[in-house]
Amino acid sequence: MSVDLYSAAVPVLQRYLQQLRQLLAKAASAAQAQGLDEHTVLAARLVPDMFGVAQQAQIAIGFARRACAPLLDMEAELANQPQTSFGALDTYAAATLHWLAQIDATRFNAAAERPIHSEAGFAQLQLPGQQHALHYALPNFFFHLSLCYAGLRAQGLPLSKQDFDGLHAYPAGFSFEAKPTA
């Protein structure tokens, strides 16, 4: 079964980078309203040996580039400095969205079978383009996006699954504690 790799990857990255921008904007407003220090919020970690919120967001944004650039036979241009403010993260995400909008679908799809070399931590990977995008890069993008969300949420910021995906909706006052699990 043939997959239109562009359609399976690029619009998904674009949509969730927009969600990340909205999530960060809402978190920034809530943090300010609660009198929380922006740098403290963005440095927060779920556990001591994990990256903080800002680094998780920056890595997610970078994975959008790392997912696509090799398929275009390009180097991924990543931020060369840590993005340590809500504004800097938003600017990086906006620039990445602009970059993604320039991708030629035909050129992207042509790389579906071409070997792509990448690094996963200290591991060296060589995967066909489709596996690189769908089995490695997209899951890593969502891993870091989820940890960014979880780090913000763990600080008591009023975020919901609706803020994460833009699809869910819950009535005011809804509590998961009252909802039966089955």
Side-chain angles (χ1 to χ4, degrees):
M1 178 178 192
S2 171
V3 172
D4 175 354
L5 189 55
Y6 175 90
S7 296
V10 176
V12 173
L13 292 166
Q14 289 170 316
R15 180 180 187 336
Y16 280 91
L17 280 174
Q18 285 289 11
Q19 287 305 123
L20 176 59
R21 290 182 76 198
Q22 292 173 23
L23 179 77
L24 291 171
K26 185 172 180 180
S29 292
Q32 184 177 27
Q34 292 179 24
L36 302 174
D37 176 68
E38 173 181 28
H39 296 291
T40 302
V41 170
L42 289 173
R45 302 163 184 260
L46 291 175
V47 295
D49 66 346
M50 291 179 75
F51 289 128
V53 169
Q55 186 70 25
Q56 298 291 356
Q58 184 171 338
I59 293 170
I61 297 163
F63 256 104
R65 292 172 181 253
R66 288 182 63 191
C68 300
L71 293 160
L72 301 166
D73 207 20
M74 301 169 62
E75 288 291 320
E77 294 181 23
L78 305 174
N80 56 7
Q81 298 291 325
Q83 308 299 299
T84 59
S85 71
F86 285 113
L89 289 165
D90 183 64
T91 299
Y92 186 36
T96 300
L97 281 164
H98 177 75
W99 182 82
L100 289 170
Q102 309 306 311
I103 292 176
D104 177 81
T106 302
R107 183 175 169 202
F108 192 87
N109 285 331
E113 299 303 320
R114 182 167 44 86
I116 303 295
H117 300 273
S118 188
E119 293 179 2
F122 295 100
Q124 297 296 313
L125 301 180
Q126 179 177 319
L127 300 168
Q130 182 171 315
Q131 286 184 12
H132 164 81
L134 302 180
H135 296 198
Y136 168 66
L138 279 173
N140 273 278
F141 169 81
F142 280 107
F143 174 83
H144 292 285
L145 175 62
S146 297
L147 288 174
C148 174
Y149 168 84
L152 292 167
R153 186 71 182 97
Q155 294 177 78
L157 297 176
L159 303 171
S160 71
K161 194 171 186 180
Q162 179 176 353
D163 297 308
F164 181 88
D165 70 11
L167 300 171
H168 285 78
Y170 300 100
F174 177 83
S175 171
F176 283 101
E177 294 173 4
K179 185 172 173 112
T181 58

